[in-house]
Amino acid sequence: MKKEIVTLFLMTSVWAAQAQGTFTIEGQVKNVEDGALITLFRLDGNVGSSIGVDTIRNGHFRFQAETLGNETEIVDMMGRSDKFPSMSLRLWVRPGDNIRISGENTLIRTWDVKSTVPEQVANQAFINDSRELWNEYQRNSLLQRAYRRKYAGSAVDEERQAIRAQADSLRKLEDEITIRIDANTIKRMKQIPVDDIWLEQLEKLAMSAKYTENYPYKEEVIALYEGLTDEEKQTDLAMNTYTYLFPPQVVEVGDEMADADLYDLEGNVHRLADFKGKYIMLDFWSRGCGPCLMALPEMKEVAEMYKDRLTIVSLSIDTKKGWETASKTHEMTWQNLNELKGSNGLFAKYGVRGIPNYVLISPEGRIVEKWFGYSAHSLKRKLRRLLNADE
């Protein structure tokens, strides 16, 4: 019996060591100034939390961090300098991994990654297919940033017009580069089986199809989506893809409200129709949105001020884990719900493009007004005008 207990203890200890471990990232880059900062972020849905910062010295940087478990995790690496494009290097890490990175410049998206993680290898293949195009894209991004600053610093109308024309030309070039990259991506996707990286690429293609003017490959992207199995179409990435390709009808002021199954922290199901009879204010938010969190104290005041006439329904777009974490940190005395569909579902049906985003619904269930953003006292001013107008 004692032997069995000791064996069980050893097995548990081994499992625990495997369940959480250390990964290491070592980088060696050229033509990057000493003192430049590199930041590593851990991702949870669309929210990133910093897990390390290192300074490049003699072309070297290094990270060592703990994994959260024994599953493969996604982290992003970004350069914190004006000489880096506003892009990240996506990395997949596991306990015990030693990842080596090399680069010839500040174009971080195309730094070479040596890793045995299957997702990293698959992603690297897509990068390699369009390496020079990605470099051109990043150089273009740096130029656009320079023109934005030049425009902001100019007070001469003629000069500003010329700068804007140059910036518009760069944005057009960005679309052209994107289309060329997407052609290479589609070619590879037609030749390989579906996996998580394949689905990520499909989501990016769908975004291009929605936001790139005169996009030539939309039908091919739709065909790739239609080729997925029913199970694959239920993944978060595929649902995002569907929303980009087939945007839902957006409800506008005067329309009947859109509704859906919404979950509270205990897993109970609610619907907006449950709150009819009072005004409803929807609050689309995320724990990674500073203005969303700044609005919470004022929202508590508003909920109390109008408790007889108004029900506030905060709809988190975070993952279940991220939402639960945020809810423990921030007191929310009103309805705190989540559709668990991220930027799909009601987020898309109400046409949300940025958060915090608010929607006021009449007691009968019709859209009264939609607005975006938060500043001190803005909710009180807005609701005073809208609710008192009904008196």
Side-chain angles (χ1 to χ4, degrees), residues 54-115:
D54 196 21
T55 303
I56 294 179
R57 294 185 178 86
N58 297 320
H60 293 271
F61 63 88
R62 187 176 188 274
F63 293 98
Q64 189 171 58
E66 296 291 328
T67 60
L68 296 178
N70 61 352
E71 301 295 327
T72 301
E73 298 174 20
I74 299 175
V75 298
D76 267 5
M77 180 182 293
M78 294 189 70
R80 292 170 57 181
S81 162
D82 290 344
K83 296 183 180 180
F84 283 90
S86 300
M87 303 184 72
S88 65
L89 178 63
R90 177 63 50 91
L91 300 170
W92 285 260
V93 298
R94 301 175 304 192
D97 277 344
N98 188 350
I99 298 169
R100 297 187 179 275
I101 295 173
S102 59
E104 299 292 326
N105 45 46
T106 61
L107 305 181
I108 193 169
R109 182 65 178 269
T110 45
W111 284 358
D112 190 56
V113 181
K114 298 298 183 186
S115 168

Coordinates of all heavy atoms in Angstrom, one line a residue, residues 54-115:
D54 N 12.5 42.7 -22.6 CA 14.0 42.6 -22.6 C 14.6 43.7 -23.5 O 13.9 44.2 -24.4 CB 14.5 41.3 -23.1 CG 15.9 41.0 -22.7 OD1 16.4 41.7 -21.8 OD2 16.6 40.1 -23.3
T55 N 15.8 44.1 -23.2 CA 16.5 45.1 -24.0 C 17.5 44.5 -24.9 O 18.3 43.6 -24.5 CB 17.2 46.1 -23.0 OG1 16.3 46.7 -22.2 CG2 17.9 47.2 -23.8
I56 N 17.5 44.8 -26.1 CA 18.5 44.3 -27.1 C 19.9 44.9 -26.8 O 20.1 46.1 -26.7 CB 18.1 44.6 -28.5 CG1 16.8 43.9 -28.9 CG2 19.2 44.2 -29.5 CD1 16.3 44.2 -30.3
R57 N 20.8 43.9 -26.6 CA 22.2 44.3 -26.3 C 23.1 43.5 -27.2 O 23.1 42.3 -27.2 CB 22.6 44.1 -24.8 CG 21.8 45.0 -23.8 CD 22.3 44.7 -22.4 NE 21.7 45.6 -21.5 CZ 20.5 45.3 -20.9 NH1 19.9 44.2 -21.1 NH2 20.0 46.2 -20.0
N58 N 23.9 44.2 -28.0 CA 24.8 43.6 -29.0 C 24.0 42.6 -29.8 O 24.5 41.5 -30.2 CB 25.9 42.8 -28.2 CG 26.8 43.8 -27.5 OD1 27.1 44.9 -27.9 ND2 27.2 43.4 -26.3
G59 N 22.8 43.0 -30.2 CA 22.0 42.1 -31.1 C 21.3 41.0 -30.4 O 20.6 40.2 -31.1
H60 N 21.4 40.9 -29.1 CA 20.8 39.7 -28.4 C 19.7 40.1 -27.5 O 19.7 41.2 -26.9 CB 21.9 39.0 -27.5 CG 23.0 38.4 -28.4 ND1 22.9 37.1 -28.8 CD2 24.2 38.8 -28.8 CE1 24.0 36.8 -29.5 NE2 24.8 37.8 -29.5
F61 N 18.7 39.2 -27.3 CA 17.7 39.3 -26.3 C 17.3 37.9 -25.9 O 17.5 36.9 -26.6 CB 16.5 40.1 -26.8 CG 15.7 39.5 -28.0 CD1 14.7 38.6 -27.8 CD2 16.1 39.8 -29.3 CE1 14.0 38.0 -28.8 CE2 15.4 39.3 -30.4 CZ 14.4 38.3 -30.1
R62 N 16.6 37.9 -24.7 CA 16.3 36.5 -24.2 C 15.1 36.7 -23.2 O 14.9 37.6 -22.5 CB 17.4 35.9 -23.4 CG 17.3 34.5 -22.9 CD 18.5 34.0 -22.2 NE 18.5 32.6 -21.9 CZ 17.9 32.1 -20.8 NH1 17.4 32.9 -19.9 NH2 17.9 30.8 -20.6
F63 N 14.2 35.7 -23.3 CA 13.0 35.6 -22.4 C 13.0 34.2 -21.9 O 13.3 33.2 -22.5 CB 11.7 35.8 -23.2 CG 11.5 37.2 -23.7 CD1 11.8 37.5 -25.0 CD2 11.0 38.2 -22.9 CE1 11.7 38.8 -25.5 CE2 10.9 39.5 -23.3 CZ 11.2 39.8 -24.7
Q64 N 12.6 34.1 -20.6 CA 12.3 32.8 -19.9 C 11.0 33.0 -19.1 O 10.9 33.9 -18.3 CB 13.5 32.4 -19.0 CG 13.3 31.0 -18.5 CD 14.6 30.5 -17.8 OE1 15.0 31.1 -16.9 NE2 15.1 29.4 -18.3
A65 N 10.0 32.2 -19.4 CA 8.7 32.4 -18.7 C 8.1 31.0 -18.5 O 8.5 30.0 -19.1 CB 7.8 33.3 -19.6
E66 N 7.1 31.1 -17.6 CA 6.4 29.8 -17.3 C 5.1 29.7 -18.1 O 4.5 30.7 -18.4 CB 5.9 29.9 -15.8 CG 7.1 29.9 -14.8 CD 7.8 28.6 -14.7 OE1 7.2 27.6 -14.9 OE2 9.0 28.6 -14.4
T67 N 4.9 28.5 -18.5 CA 3.6 28.2 -19.2 C 2.5 28.1 -18.2 O 2.7 27.9 -17.0 CB 3.7 26.9 -20.0 OG1 4.0 25.8 -19.1 CG2 4.8 27.0 -21.1
L68 N 1.3 28.2 -18.7 CA 0.1 28.1 -17.7 C -0.3 26.7 -17.5 O -1.0 26.4 -16.6 CB -1.1 28.9 -18.3 CG -0.9 30.4 -18.4 CD1 -2.1 31.1 -19.0 CD2 -0.6 31.0 -17.0
G69 N 0.1 25.8 -18.5 CA -0.3 24.4 -18.4 C 0.6 23.6 -19.3 O 1.7 24.0 -19.6
N70 N 0.1 22.4 -19.7 CA 0.9 21.6 -20.6 C 0.4 21.7 -22.1 O 0.9 20.9 -22.9 CB 0.8 20.1 -20.1 CG -0.6 19.6 -20.1 OD1 -1.5 20.3 -20.3 ND2 -0.7 18.3 -19.9
E71 N -0.5 22.6 -22.3 CA -0.9 22.8 -23.7 C -0.1 23.8 -24.4 O 0.6 24.6 -23.8 CB -2.4 23.2 -23.7 CG -3.4 22.3 -23.1 CD -3.5 20.9 -23.8 OE1 -3.3 20.9 -25.0 OE2 -3.7 19.9 -23.1
T72 N -0.1 23.8 -25.8 CA 0.6 24.8 -26.5 C -0.1 26.1 -26.3 O -1.3 26.2 -26.4 CB 0.6 24.4 -28.0 OG1 1.2 23.1 -28.2 CG2 1.3 25.5 -28.9
E73 N 0.7 27.2 -26.1 CA 0.1 28.5 -25.9 C 0.6 29.5 -27.0 O 1.7 29.2 -27.6 CB 0.6 29.1 -24.5 CG 0.1 28.3 -23.4 CD 0.7 28.8 -22.0 OE1 1.2 29.9 -22.0 OE2 0.7 28.0 -21.1
I74 N -0.1 30.5 -27.2 CA 0.2 31.6 -28.2 C 0.8 32.8 -27.5 O 0.1 33.3 -26.5 CB -0.9 31.9 -29.1 CG1 -1.4 30.7 -29.9 CG2 -0.6 33.1 -30.0 CD1 -2.7 31.0 -30.7
V75 N 1.9 33.3 -27.9 CA 2.4 34.6 -27.4 C 2.8 35.4 -28.6 O 3.1 34.9 -29.7 CB 3.6 34.4 -26.4 CG1 3.3 33.6 -25.2 CG2 4.8 33.7 -27.2
D76 N 2.8 36.7 -28.3 CA 3.2 37.7 -29.4 C 4.4 38.5 -28.9 O 4.5 38.8 -27.7 CB 2.1 38.7 -29.7 CG 1.2 38.2 -30.8 OD1 1.4 37.1 -31.3 OD2 0.2 39.0 -31.2
M77 N 5.3 38.8 -29.9 CA 6.5 39.6 -29.6 C 6.4 40.8 -30.4 O 6.2 40.8 -31.6 CB 7.7 38.7 -29.9 CG 9.0 39.5 -29.7 SD 10.5 38.5 -30.1 CE 10.3 37.1 -28.9
M78 N 6.7 42.0 -29.8 CA 6.6 43.3 -30.5 C 7.9 44.1 -30.1 O 8.4 44.0 -28.9 CB 5.4 44.0 -30.1 CG 4.1 43.4 -30.6 SD 2.6 44.5 -30.4 CE 3.0 45.8 -31.6
G79 N 8.3 44.9 -31.0 CA 9.4 45.9 -30.7 C 8.8 47.2 -30.3 O 7.8 47.7 -30.9
R80 N 9.3 47.8 -29.2 CA 8.9 49.1 -28.7 C 9.8 50.2 -29.1 O 10.6 50.7 -28.3 CB 8.7 49.0 -27.2 CG 7.6 48.0 -26.8 CD 7.6 47.7 -25.3 NE 7.5 48.9 -24.5 CZ 7.4 48.9 -23.1 NH1 7.5 47.8 -22.5 NH2 7.3 50.1 -22.5
S81 N 9.7 50.5 -30.4 CA 10.6 51.6 -30.9 C 10.0 52.0 -32.2 O 9.3 51.3 -32.9 CB 12.0 51.0 -31.2 OG 12.7 51.8 -32.1
D82 N 10.2 53.3 -32.5 CA 9.6 53.9 -33.8 C 10.2 53.2 -35.0 O 9.6 53.3 -36.1 CB 9.9 55.4 -33.9 CG 9.1 56.2 -32.9 OD1 8.2 55.6 -32.3 OD2 9.5 57.3 -32.6
K83 N 11.3 52.5 -34.8 CA 11.9 51.8 -36.0 C 11.3 50.4 -36.3 O 11.7 49.8 -37.2 CB 13.4 51.7 -35.8 CG 14.1 53.1 -35.7 CD 15.6 53.0 -35.6 CE 16.2 54.5 -35.6 NZ 17.7 54.4 -35.5
F84 N 10.4 50.0 -35.4 CA 9.7 48.7 -35.6 C 8.4 49.0 -36.2 O 7.7 49.9 -35.7 CB 9.5 48.0 -34.3 CG 10.8 47.2 -33.8 CD1 11.7 47.9 -32.9 CD2 11.0 45.9 -34.2 CE1 12.8 47.2 -32.5 CE2 12.2 45.3 -33.7 CZ 13.0 45.9 -32.9
P85 N 7.9 48.2 -37.1 CA 6.5 48.4 -37.6 C 5.5 48.0 -36.5 O 5.9 47.2 -35.6 CB 6.4 47.4 -38.8 CG 7.5 46.4 -38.5 CD 8.6 47.1 -37.8
S86 N 4.3 48.4 -36.6 CA 3.3 48.1 -35.6 C 2.7 46.7 -35.9 O 1.5 46.6 -36.1 CB 2.2 49.2 -35.6 OG 2.7 50.4 -35.3
M87 N 3.6 45.8 -35.8 CA 3.2 44.4 -36.1 C 3.9 43.5 -35.0 O 4.8 43.9 -34.4 CB 3.6 43.9 -37.5 CG 3.0 44.8 -38.6 SD 3.4 44.2 -40.2 CE 2.4 42.8 -40.3
S88 N 3.4 42.3 -34.9 CA 4.0 41.4 -34.0 C 4.5 40.1 -34.6 O 4.1 39.8 -35.8 CB 3.0 41.0 -32.9 OG 1.9 40.2 -33.5
L89 N 5.4 39.4 -33.9 CA 5.8 38.1 -34.3 C 5.0 37.0 -33.5 O 5.2 37.0 -32.3 CB 7.3 37.9 -34.1 CG 7.9 36.5 -34.4 CD1 7.8 36.2 -35.9 CD2 9.4 36.5 -34.0
R90 N 4.2 36.2 -34.1 CA 3.4 35.2 -33.4 C 4.3 34.0 -33.1 O 4.9 33.5 -34.0 CB 2.2 34.9 -34.3 CG 1.3 33.8 -33.8 CD 0.6 34.2 -32.5 NE -0.1 35.4 -32.5 CZ -1.4 35.7 -32.9 NH1 -2.1 34.7 -33.3 NH2 -1.9 36.9 -32.8
L91 N 4.2 33.6 -31.9 CA 5.0 32.4 -31.4 C 4.1 31.4 -30.7 O 3.2 31.8 -30.0 CB 6.1 32.8 -30.5 CG 7.1 33.8 -31.0 CD1 8.0 34.3 -29.9 CD2 8.0 33.2 -32.1
W92 N 4.4 30.1 -30.9 CA 3.7 29.1 -30.2 C 4.7 28.4 -29.2 O 5.8 28.0 -29.7 CB 3.1 28.0 -31.2 CG 1.9 28.5 -31.9 CD1 0.6 28.2 -31.6 CD2 1.9 29.4 -33.1 NE1 -0.2 28.8 -32.5 CE2 0.5 29.6 -33.4 CE3 2.9 30.0 -33.8 CZ2 0.1 30.4 -34.5 CZ3 2.5 30.8 -34.9 CH2 1.1 31.0 -35.2
V93 N 4.3 28.3 -28.0 CA 5.3 27.8 -27.0 C 4.7 26.6 -26.2 O 3.5 26.5 -26.0 CB 5.7 28.9 -26.0 CG1 6.4 30.0 -26.8 CG2 4.5 29.5 -25.2
R94 N 5.6 25.7 -25.7 CA 5.2 24.6 -24.9 C 6.2 24.5 -23.7 O 7.4 25.0 -23.8 CB 5.2 23.3 -25.7 CG 4.3 23.3 -26.8 CD 4.5 22.0 -27.7 NE 5.8 21.8 -28.1 CZ 6.2 20.9 -29.0 NH1 5.3 20.1 -29.6 NH2 7.5 20.8 -29.4
P95 N 5.9 23.8 -22.7 CA 6.9 23.6 -21.6 C 8.1 22.9 -22.1 O 8.1 21.9 -22.9 CB 6.1 22.6 -20.6 CG 4.7 22.9 -20.9 CD 4.6 23.2 -22.3
G96 N 9.3 23.4 -21.7 CA 10.5 22.9 -22.1 C 11.1 23.3 -23.5 O 12.2 23.0 -23.8
D97 N 10.3 24.2 -24.2 CA 10.8 24.6 -25.5 C 11.9 25.6 -25.4 O 12.0 26.4 -24.5 CB 9.6 25.3 -26.3 CG 8.7 24.3 -27.0 OD1 9.1 23.2 -27.1 OD2 7.6 24.7 -27.3
N98 N 12.8 25.6 -26.3 CA 13.9 26.5 -26.5 C 13.8 27.1 -27.9 O 14.2 26.4 -28.8 CB 15.2 25.9 -26.2 CG 16.3 27.0 -26.1 OD1 16.1 28.1 -26.5 ND2 17.5 26.6 -25.7
I99 N 13.2 28.2 -28.1 CA 13.0 28.8 -29.4 C 14.1 29.8 -29.7 O 14.4 30.6 -28.9 CB 11.6 29.5 -29.4 CG1 10.5 28.5 -29.1 CG2 11.4 30.2 -30.7 CD1 9.1 29.1 -28.9
R100 N 14.6 29.7 -31.0 CA 15.6 30.6 -31.4 C 15.1 31.4 -32.5 O 14.5 31.0 -33.5 CB 16.9 29.8 -31.8 CG 17.5 29.0 -30.7 CD 18.8 28.3 -31.0 NE 19.3 27.6 -29.9 CZ 20.1 28.1 -29.0 NH1 20.4 29.4 -29.0 NH2 20.6 27.4 -28.0
I101 N 15.4 32.7 -32.4 CA 14.9 33.7 -33.4 C 16.1 34.5 -34.0 O 17.1 34.8 -33.2 CB 14.0 34.7 -32.7 CG1 12.7 33.9 -32.2 CG2 13.6 35.8 -33.6 CD1 11.8 34.8 -31.4
S102 N 16.1 34.7 -35.2 CA 17.1 35.5 -35.9 C 16.5 36.5 -36.9 O 15.4 36.2 -37.4 CB 18.1 34.6 -36.6 OG 17.5 33.8 -37.6
G103 N 17.2 37.6 -37.1 CA 16.6 38.6 -38.0 C 17.7 39.5 -38.5 O 18.8 39.7 -37.9
E104 N 17.5 40.2 -39.6 CA 18.5 41.0 -40.2 C 18.1 42.5 -40.1 O 18.9 43.4 -40.6 CB 18.6 40.7 -41.7 CG 19.1 39.3 -42.0 CD 20.5 39.0 -41.6 OE1 21.3 40.0 -41.7 OE2 20.8 37.9 -41.1
N105 N 17.0 42.8 -39.5 CA 16.6 44.2 -39.4 C 15.4 44.3 -38.4 O 15.2 43.4 -37.7 CB 16.1 44.7 -40.8 CG 15.2 43.7 -41.5 OD1 14.3 43.1 -40.9 ND2 15.5 43.4 -42.7
T106 N 14.7 45.4 -38.4 CA 13.6 45.6 -37.4 C 12.3 45.1 -38.0 O 11.2 45.3 -37.3 CB 13.4 47.1 -37.1 OG1 13.1 47.8 -38.3 CG2 14.7 47.7 -36.5
L107 N 12.3 44.5 -39.1 CA 11.0 44.0 -39.7 C 10.6 42.7 -39.0 O 10.9 41.6 -39.5 CB 11.2 43.8 -41.2 CG 11.6 45.0 -42.0 CD1 11.7 44.7 -43.5 CD2 10.7 46.2 -41.7
I108 N 10.1 42.8 -37.8 CA 9.9 41.7 -36.9 C 9.0 40.6 -37.4 O 9.2 39.4 -37.0 CB 9.4 42.3 -35.5 CG1 9.5 41.3 -34.4 CG2 8.0 42.9 -35.7 CD1 9.3 41.9 -33.0
R109 N 8.0 40.9 -38.2 CA 7.1 39.9 -38.7 C 7.8 38.8 -39.4 O 7.3 37.6 -39.4 CB 6.0 40.5 -39.6 CG 4.9 39.6 -40.1 CD 4.1 39.1 -39.0 NE 3.0 38.2 -39.4 CZ 1.8 38.6 -39.8 NH1 1.5 39.9 -39.7 NH2 0.9 37.7 -40.1
T110 N 8.9 39.1 -40.1 CA 9.6 38.1 -40.9 C 10.9 37.6 -40.2 O 11.8 37.0 -40.9 CB 9.9 38.7 -42.3 OG1 10.4 40.0 -42.2 CG2 8.6 38.7 -43.1
W111 N 11.1 37.9 -38.9 CA 12.2 37.2 -38.3 C 12.1 35.7 -38.3 O 10.9 35.2 -38.3 CB 12.3 37.7 -36.8 CG 12.8 39.1 -36.6 CD1 13.3 39.9 -37.6 CD2 13.0 39.8 -35.4 NE1 13.7 41.1 -37.1 CE2 13.5 41.1 -35.7 CE3 12.7 39.5 -34.1 CZ2 13.8 42.0 -34.7 CZ3 13.0 40.4 -33.1 CH2 13.5 41.7 -33.4
D112 N 13.2 35.0 -38.5 CA 13.1 33.6 -38.7 C 13.0 32.9 -37.3 O 13.7 33.3 -36.4 CB 14.4 33.1 -39.4 CG 14.3 31.6 -39.8 OD1 13.3 31.3 -40.5 OD2 15.2 30.9 -39.4
V113 N 12.1 31.9 -37.2 CA 11.9 31.2 -35.9 C 12.2 29.8 -36.1 O 11.7 29.1 -36.9 CB 10.4 31.4 -35.5 CG1 10.2 30.7 -34.2 CG2 10.0 32.8 -35.4
K114 N 13.1 29.3 -35.2 CA 13.5 27.9 -35.2 C 12.8 27.2 -34.0 O 13.1 27.5 -32.9 CB 15.0 27.7 -35.0 CG 15.8 28.3 -36.2 CD 15.5 27.7 -37.5 CE 16.4 28.2 -38.6 NZ 16.0 27.7 -40.0
S115 N 11.9 26.3 -34.3 CA 11.1 25.7 -33.3 C 10.6 24.4 -33.8 O 10.4 24.2 -35.0 CB 9.9 26.6 -33.0 OG 8.9 26.0 -32.2

